[in-house]
């Protein structure tokens, strides 16, 4: 079999953040599969087939990609951000493990991208400049009790926390519950960054404090960063404030 | 004042992983500051000044960058990978907070990049496909007891763990001690990925199990990913094995 599957990270949204390696992989593909809004960001190429599917259809899309590759196609599966962070790379591996053994002979390449939390962090300073955790708030694929336990562990151990999949129509209360838990463990003034659609025309970035953070400030396109107790807000009279976590623990207490 | 400071992420090493936004920022700079091996990766431009400094001189380099920007220069400070992950963005913010108030009027931009753990993960599959923690193993900037506490919290809560700064001449025993701690908390077969210089000519990637992981397999240029108890190794007879963490908790037990 001569087909190939490439999982391609599109980055946060701006074409200026798409790597040359990713652009080349998209250009080379016979067939591109992905969630519709991500496919819309792939530069058009004559003769290339495209198939959009819903963002809840990850395993089905991955299985379809392997099946097309097994028939000889050069298939690209796209993810926003990085495909390895709550995205298609794991689904492609899982579909391979569940699929026909012959698929394991096919070539697989994964092209990394700039994941959302890095783009959000860059917009405001360096909130992820020290140890941090990256957590999906979705309880579609794990019990909510596990989410709560991980939030508590991360906050208690002094990690900053990046939250993916914070809210959706089907999951309306989870983010406020997460803030409620974090408020019992972290100072009220802990900085919280809401970064929505960073790098795209509808970008919106807002910094607030944990005691004022509200779930209604986020939507599906938002990545949230909650600081640790070390994270600082640096005011600039003629510029937006910066949010950063110093590289040293206790940098400003000694 | 009309100077500007841009912190630029160079990505893991390959020019194909440098974003167009980062390439443009490097091209526009009058002066580029950074650790020598990173400066060597910046495409040459006539008339551009460059200043290399040691990788332990981050705060001094950041202060120097602000001081040059205050004199009107367009200054780029470079980091390997992403500047927001254990790199120059936090140092630039800290230097600003400690520096003259007038510096806060200067323009600051941070250009994100593909950080090491994402490049390593992409090489082997999707070990960071579910919740994970990112931890620097360096005890130069925090006490070792904090590192141990965070390792325990991360492993107990079911996070995969990406380890930056795993080892150096000055810190020879810490990585073996970290494996020792993790062996008491995670299954012996937990996959461990050593990814060295990914995307560069001297790239070396190795997958092993936690009970066989040894500090001597890593050097300063290595990023290590330790799976969670959910992380799987998928053998492929005619290809390298894949390592991935399924998107669903218990995906293969139900």
């Amino acid at each position: 079999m001569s087909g190939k599957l490439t999982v391609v990270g599109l980055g946060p949204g701006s074409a200026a953040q798409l790597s040359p390696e990713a652009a080349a992989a998209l250009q080379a593909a016979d067939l591109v599969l992905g969630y519709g809004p991500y496919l819309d960001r792939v530069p058009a190429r004559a003769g290339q087939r495209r198939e959009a599917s819903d963002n809840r259809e990850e395993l089905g899309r991955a299985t379809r990609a392997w099946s097309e590759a097994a028939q000889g196609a050069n298939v690209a599966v796209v993810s926003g951000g990085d495909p390895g962070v709550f995205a298609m790379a794991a689904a492609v591996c899982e579909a391979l493990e569940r699929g026909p053994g012959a698929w394991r002979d096919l070539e697989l390449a994964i092209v990394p991208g700039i994941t959302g939390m890095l783009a959000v962090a860059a917009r405001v300073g360096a909130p992820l400049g020290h140890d941090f955790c990256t957590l999906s708030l979705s309880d579609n694929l794990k019990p909510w009790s596990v989410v709560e336990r991980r939030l508590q562990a991360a906050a208690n151990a002094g990690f900053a926390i990046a939250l993916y999949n914070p809210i959706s129509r089907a999951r309306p209360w989870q983010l406020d519950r997460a803030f409620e838990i974090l408020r019992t463990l972290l100072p009220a003034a802990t900085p919280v960054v809401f970064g929505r659609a960073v790098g795209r025309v509808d970008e919106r970035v807002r910094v607030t404090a944990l005691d004022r953070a509200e779930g209604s400030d986020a939507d599906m396109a938002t990545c949230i960063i909650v600081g640790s107790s070390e994270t600082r807000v640096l005011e600039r009279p003629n510029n937006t404030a910066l949010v950063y976590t110093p590289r040293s623990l206790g940098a400003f207490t000694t």
Side-chain angles (χ1 to χ4, degrees), chain A:
Chain A
M1 287 186 287
S2 63
K4 178 177 176 175
L5 198 165
T6 308
V7 191
V8 181
L10 298 177
S14 155
Q17 291 177 335
L18 181 76
S19 76
E21 181 184 28
L26 295 173
Q27 183 66 25
D30 304 316
L31 169 65
V32 185
L33 301 179
Y35 175 48
Y38 297 150
L39 278 187
D40 293 343
R41 287 162 46 192
V42 176
R45 204 211 73 185
Q48 186 177 68
R49 289 183 293 144
R50 295 181 180 212
E51 281 182 23
S53 39
D54 191 75
N55 64 346
R56 299 279 293 273
E57 301 295 331
E58 296 188 328
L59 197 59
R61 183 188 306 138
T63 303
R64 168 104 184 100
W66 280 115
S67 149
E68 283 279 340
Q71 290 166 57
N74 182 338
V75 182
V77 175
V78 296
S79 279
D82 178 74
V85 178
F86 308 119
M88 286 304 299
V92 161
C93 291
E94 187 176 337
L96 182 62
E97 183 156 8
R98 296 187 186 279
W103 288 1
R104 300 188 189 195
D105 288 344
L106 294 165
E107 186 181 345
L108 170 68
I110 298 168
V111 176
I114 295 168
T115 185
M117 64 182 171
L118 302 183
V120 171
R123 273 290 188 269
V124 298
L128 305 177
H130 199 67
D131 302 332
F132 63 94
C133 289
T134 306
L135 181 64
S136 170
L137 225 52
S138 171
D139 55 353
N140 292 333
L141 299 170
K142 65 191 163 197
W144 178 251
S145 60
V146 170
V147 178
E148 293 206 355
R149 193 161 61 86
R150 289 184 183 169
L151 282 169
Q152 287 159 347
N156 280 329
F159 289 101
I161 304 171
L163 298 174
Y164 281 67
N165 306 319
I167 201 162
S168 73
R169 263 179 301 225
R171 295 181 290 102
W173 55 265
Q174 284 83 342
L175 179 56
D176 276 318
R177 175 70 188 133
F179 288 140
E180 204 177 295
I181 290 166
L182 294 173
R183 277 193 275 266
T184 67
L185 303 170
L186 293 168
T190 303
V192 178
V193 182
F194 291 80
R196 181 184 183 286
V198 166
R200 305 205 288 276
V201 289
D202 50 345
E203 169 173 328
R204 192 176 65 229
V205 178
R206 209 169 83 81
V207 176
T208 187
L210 182 56
D211 62 349
R212 289 192 300 270
E214 290 188 23
S216 56
D217 287 337
D219 66 8
M220 271 180 61
T222 306
C223 179
I224 295 166
I225 298 175
V226 180
S228 73
S229 60
E230 299 278 315
T231 305
R232 304 174 68 77
V233 175
L234 171 54
E235 299 293 345
R236 298 185 296 172
N238 300 309
N239 281 308
T240 55
L242 295 173
V243 182
Y244 79 103
T245 309
R247 303 156 307 130
S248 316
L249 202 62
F252 285 84
T253 53
T254 52

